[in-house]
């Protein structure tokens, strides 16, 4: 079969389409013929050698998630059978024509849901649901600030914030085109962080109180600035470090106890490895919301698997909106 293989970290050109052996499944796994692959920012980090979980110096196939049809089922698998449509988190990368996945990291795709939508939804949907619902515990009427609001996770989080009853939804993005898209996805206010002071604007919009919930995938200085517009009793969730080259954001413990504010960390990747059962509620709820028409996963671009380098270059340009897919 064909798969993308990275032999050395670097720019998009290190993504090579190669012939590799077909996966052999264990008793608790299924084999999937891949029909669509989601491209996530974590794939960029992995290709650059900056993603946790990728062994330094080892060749690997990138990719967190995909969707397709099961062609083989392990002897211990009880939830699936051959021919089932599924989305999944393969442990050995998803940029391939076939992948093997653990039953615990495989999720059913209803016939009514397009397979490309399923592939695009898994990482961004589970992540956005968990950071809002499980980590930040957003309450009805609260103000939420969502950074990188026009990206895959951001655009999903904007919609979920509306569904879950946020009182005021504020998004940040890096261009006028992206702030316009953030408003289309559900932001009441969209801030261009390159030309505007988001801290001042958030505080102004909240009469000096600040946001009750902040979702930060940027990290670094952006995280530190966000603390200056986090309300008393507020929760900021750090679940990424997209700000390349910057130092990690720092926090003073004295800023927490007297204000009753919380800093929370989240990684879907860590839950995949250590607590996969935690992801099932989110997958089920995201699927339900898509079927009911309440949640729209925006797919902006599709590339053939062989053009994975072009997909990465687009995302790195910061010009992509919504999700980018690879089609084997």
């Amino acid at each position: 079969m064909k798969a993308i293989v990275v032999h050395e970290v670097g720019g998009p050109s290190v993504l090579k389409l190669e012939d590799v052996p077909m996966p052999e499944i264990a008793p608790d796994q299924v084999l999937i013929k891949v029909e669509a692959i989601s491209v996530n920012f974590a794939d960029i980090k992995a290709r650059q050698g900056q993603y946790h979980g990728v062994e330094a110096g080892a060749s690997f196939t990138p990719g967190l998630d995909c969707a397709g049809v099961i062609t083989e089922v392990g002897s211990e698998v009880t939830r699936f059978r051959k021919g089932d449509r599924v989305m999944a988190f393969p442990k050995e990368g998803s940029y391939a024509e076939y992948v093997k996945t653990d039953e615990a990291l495989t999720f059913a795709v209803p016939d009514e849901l397009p397979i490309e939508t399923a592939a695009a939804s898994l990482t961004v949907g589970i992540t956005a649901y968990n950071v809002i619902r499980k980590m930040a515990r957003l309450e009805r009427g609260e103000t939420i600030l969502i950074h990188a609001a026009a990206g895959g996770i951001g655009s999903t989080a904007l919609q979920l914030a509306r569904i879950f009853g946020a009182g005021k939804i504020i998004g940040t993005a890096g261009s006028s085109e992206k702030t316009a898209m953030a408003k289309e996805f559900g932001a009441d206010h969209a801030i261009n962080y390159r030309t505007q002071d988001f801290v001042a604007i958030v505080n102004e919009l909240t009469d000096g109180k600040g946001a009750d919930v902040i979702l930060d995938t940027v990290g670094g200085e952006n995280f530190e600035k966000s603390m200056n517009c986090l309300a008393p009793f507020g929760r900021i969730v750090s679940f990424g470090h997209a700000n390349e080259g910057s130092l990690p954001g720092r926090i003073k413990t004295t800023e927490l106890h007297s204000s009753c504010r919380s800093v929370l960390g989240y990684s879907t990747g860590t839950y995949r490895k250590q607590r996969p059962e935690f992801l099932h509620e989110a997958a089920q709820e995201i699927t339900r919301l898509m079927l009911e028409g309440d949640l729209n996963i925006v797919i902006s671009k599709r590339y053939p698997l062989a053009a994975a380098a072009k997909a990465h270059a687009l995302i790195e340009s910061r010009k992509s909106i919504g999700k980018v897919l690879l089609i084997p």
Side-chain angles (χ1 to χ4, degrees), residues 138-144 161 164-168 209 212:
L138 177 74
E139 297 183 6
R140 299 192 72 84
E142 288 190 316
T143 295
I144 184 170
F164 297 151
K168 188 174 293 180
K209 174 189 172 185
D212 301 294

Side-chain angles (χ1 to χ4, degrees), residues 227-234 255-257 259-263:
M227 289 298 299
N228 294 323
C229 59
L230 181 64
F233 300 95
E255 296 180 347
L256 299 179
H257 67 274
S259 63
C260 296
R261 298 185 298 176
S262 302
V263 178

Side-chain angles (χ1 to χ4, degrees), residues 260-323:
C260 296
R261 298 185 298 176
S262 302
V263 178
L264 302 153
Y266 174 84
S267 166
T268 295
T270 300
Y271 275 101
R272 288 200 320 265
K273 295 179 180 69
Q274 300 185 25
R275 299 185 181 183
E277 67 282 354
F278 180 84
L279 305 178
H280 283 254
E281 176 187 321
Q284 292 170 359
E285 285 300 294
I286 291 300
T287 298
R288 178 183 66 81
L289 290 169
M290 289 190 294
L291 289 175
E292 293 176 355
D294 294 323
L295 177 63
N296 178 30
I297 303 297
V298 177
I299 301 171
S300 62
K301 198 78 173 177
R302 298 165 176 82
Y303 292 94
L305 181 60
K310 291 184 178 180
H312 277 223
L314 174 64
I315 292 177
E316 283 187 274
S317 74
R318 308 285 181 169
K319 294 180 180 179
S320 63
I321 292 173
K323 290 298 298 179

Side-chain angles (χ1 to χ4, degrees), residues 88-132:
F89 292 116
K91 290 182 177 179
E92 298 177 5
S94 61
Y95 287 22
E97 293 178 323
Y98 288 84
V99 298
K100 62 179 180 181
T101 69
D102 294 351
E103 181 179 19
L105 292 171
T106 305
F107 311 87
V109 174
D111 292 339
E112 302 86 351
L113 188 67
I115 205 72
E116 289 189 0
T117 303
S121 72
L122 191 55
T123 291
V124 298
I126 284 179
T127 301
Y129 180 94
N130 282 337
V131 295
I132 294 176

Side-chain angles (χ1 to χ4, degrees), residues 51-62:
Y51 185 67
H52 61 89
V54 175
E55 185 179 346
S59 297
F60 67 95
T61 292

